Amino acid sequence: MSRFQRVIESNERLFWTLHSAGWAGFALIYYIGSFLHDVRPIWVFIIMLNAYAGWLLTIPLRYVYRWARKRSVLNMILIVVASCYVVALVWAVVKNINYWEIYKHGYRPDEWYMYFTNTINSLIMVGCWSGVYFGIKNFQMLQKEKQNALKASTMAHQAHIKMLRYQLNPHFLFNTLNAISTLILLKENDTAEAMVSKLSNFLRYSLDNDPIKRVPLGQEIKALRLYLEIEKVRFDDRLEVVWDIDSKCESALVPSMILQPIIENAIKHAISKMENGGQIAITARTFGNDLLMDVADNGPGADIKEGQLSRKNGVGLVNIKERLQSLYQRNFAFSIEHNQPSGVRVRIRIPYEVKDV
């Protein structure tokens, strides 16, 4: 069964449930009101007949109103008013006949217009039924529009996150392919082949993981080790990596590929600038209900103003902050600081969450 069919069936059940419950409520209130008068027990039967007549006569209004809603506002109002009046008129006649035939034992009025007495009361009831019908329909329409707007916003939000994630791949690919090209020119084919294999595995991980979803930090660390193995082919002993990952953090959920741009940034602006190479320290630990992650280098440092780098044309760190903001709104922290005694330290704080089993 399609979603459209399920929605139709749900609307059908809702209409018949509310329609029947409404007229049952009318009969109950009518019956309670009869206690104010000295009426015979047969009056209960008349109440049931009148409620059933109202139940039957208002059913066609549903289809008339459905058709009227497609017309202009003025035409819809005219159709609704005319339909309410006609149904109220017929219902008033039915109620009078029930009263005269059953309670008055076949009484006949002297004038024909007496059949239409109490039409105003009937019109009020039919008007209330119509008001509830349009109120529910408008509420459903607003809810549907809200859901459509939310769905569109979610799709745009997800597309934005994917754009941010995949924006980084070309930059990394350029550096790696350039290194592979250099290795081939130097006739270091075995090293180039190993680098291609590692690049293939890393890109497979990168593309297989949906940027919208989060992955365990332990899985992310494996991908980072693979990435750093690729970079070590370029820098050899000039690149030293220190890992300090709390075992409790490995199951924590993090945005996929969230640390790789930071490490890439450190390699580009710190390790590659140092004649003898340098060190990158990657740390992860928990603090209360938060997960704290640090990436620090011992490079020459950078000009940091108000927690932001002054470098131009860089997309990596700005990209990360936008991703974190999209995923966690205000429940995160992202800062760039001077490392001691030298270098840059990037800190990330996000909620500590693990995958439900």
Side-chain angles (χ1 to χ4, degrees):
M1 184 182 297
S2 66
R3 181 176 180 275
F4 180 71
Q5 290 175 321
R6 289 196 298 269
V7 170
I8 291 178
E9 288 189 1
S10 176
N11 288 339
E12 286 292 323
R13 287 194 298 269
L14 179 64
F15 171 79
W16 291 112
T17 300
L18 294 179
H19 180 68
S20 301
W23 283 109
F26 163 79
L28 179 61
I29 294 173
Y30 203 172
Y31 172 68
I32 294 174
S34 68
F35 292 159
L36 299 175
H37 308 282
D38 186 16
V39 294
R40 299 197 305 271
I42 194 64
W43 185 251
V44 175
F45 182 64
I46 295 176
I47 292 174
M48 294 177 62
L49 283 178
N50 291 342
Y52 181 63
W55 186 89
L56 283 176
L57 290 171
T58 49
I59 290 176
L61 289 179
R62 179 194 185 193
Y63 304 98
V64 173
Y65 292 167
R66 185 183 294 177
W67 171 76
R69 285 167 63 90
K70 300 176 182 179
R71 301 296 180 268
S72 65
V73 176
L74 179 60
N75 288 338
M76 182 182 72
I77 293 174
L78 292 175
I79 293 171
V80 170
V81 172
S83 301
C84 282
Y85 186 77
V86 170
V87 170
L89 203 64
V90 174
W91 190 37
V93 172
V94 171
K95 288 192 295 180
N96 286 328
I97 291 175
N98 289 337
Y99 177 70
W100 292 330
E101 289 290 340
I102 299 173
Y103 201 80
K104 292 292 186 178
H105 305 292
Y107 168 80
R108 292 291 183 273
D110 296 332
E111 302 292 339
W112 64 269
Y113 60 82
M114 295 296 294
Y115 282 96
F116 302 103
T117 55
N118 295 321
T119 299
I120 298 299
N121 292 335
S122 300
L123 183 60
I124 292 174
M125 283 301 306
V126 176
C128 290
W129 185 97
S130 301
V132 172
Y133 175 85
F134 278 101
I136 293 174
K137 281 298 179 182
N138 288 337
F139 176 77
Q140 288 179 328
M141 182 180 67
L142 289 174
Q143 287 296 107
K144 185 177 180 181
E145 290 180 356
K146 184 177 179 181
Q147 290 176 355
N148 290 338
L150 182 61
K151 183 178 179 180
S153 176
T154 301
M155 291 177 66
H157 177 73
Q158 292 178 349
H160 177 66
I161 295 176
K162 290 183 179 181
M163 179 274 293
L164 292 173
R165 237 289 303 277
Y166 292 137
Q167 182 183 18
L168 301 172
N169 288 342
H171 183 246
F172 164 67
L173 277 175
F174 174 79
N175 290 337
T176 306
L177 293 176
N178 187 53
I180 293 173
S181 175
T182 302
L183 289 172
I184 293 174
L185 290 174
L186 295 174
K187 305 298 184 182
E188 296 183 17
N189 295 334
D190 292 340
T191 306
E193 184 179 350
M195 198 169 183
V196 169
S197 177
K198 291 174 182 178
L199 175 62
S200 174
N201 291 332
F202 177 76
L203 289 180
R204 184 179 296 111
Y205 171 84
S206 173
L207 296 174
D208 285 348
N209 285 280
D210 191 340
I212 304 301
K213 298 180 180 178
R214 291 168 293 170
V215 299
L217 180 60
Q219 181 178 328
E220 190 74 2
I221 293 299
K222 291 180 181 179
L224 289 175
R225 290 184 185 275
L226 190 60
Y227 166 76
L228 286 167
E229 287 178 7
I230 297 172
E231 295 292 8
K232 278 195 172 187
V233 174
R234 294 173 55 201
F235 292 96
D236 201 13
D237 294 335
R238 294 176 58 209
L239 173 60
E240 180 186 358
V241 182
V242 177
W243 298 90
D244 183 12
I245 310 297
D246 189 336
S247 59
K248 184 181 178 182
C249 298
E250 292 190 359
S251 59
L253 296 176
V254 299
S256 63
M257 306 297 292
I258 197 67
L259 295 179
Q260 184 268 340
I262 303 175
I263 297 173
E264 182 177 352
N265 195 71
I267 291 173
K268 178 181 179 182
H269 296 285
I271 306 302
S272 64
K273 303 297 183 182
M274 302 172 69
E275 184 176 347
N276 297 323
Q279 182 187 88
I280 296 177
I282 304 168
T283 306
R285 64 187 184 279
T286 58
F287 183 79
N289 295 323
D290 293 330
L291 171 67
L292 307 179
M293 295 179 288
D294 286 8
V295 176
D297 64 68
N298 63 347
D303 186 11
I304 301 174
K305 295 180 180 179
E306 298 180 355
Q308 299 295 327
L309 291 176
S310 60
R311 301 184 187 124
K312 296 181 179 180
N313 302 324
V315 298
L317 300 184
V318 175
N319 184 300
I320 291 172
K321 188 173 182 180
E322 290 186 14
R323 284 187 66 199
L324 291 172
Q325 190 168 5
S326 296
L327 291 168
Y328 299 104
Q329 283 74 52
R330 296 183 179 180
N331 192 17
F332 79 97
F334 178 79
S335 63
I336 305 171
E337 309 167 0
H338 292 291
N339 192 27
Q340 298 300 329
S342 65
V344 175
R345 179 183 297 274
V346 179
R347 298 179 182 272
I348 295 177
R349 177 190 61 78
I350 60 176
Y352 176 81
E353 299 172 329
V354 296
K355 187 176 182 180
D356 295 332
V357 180

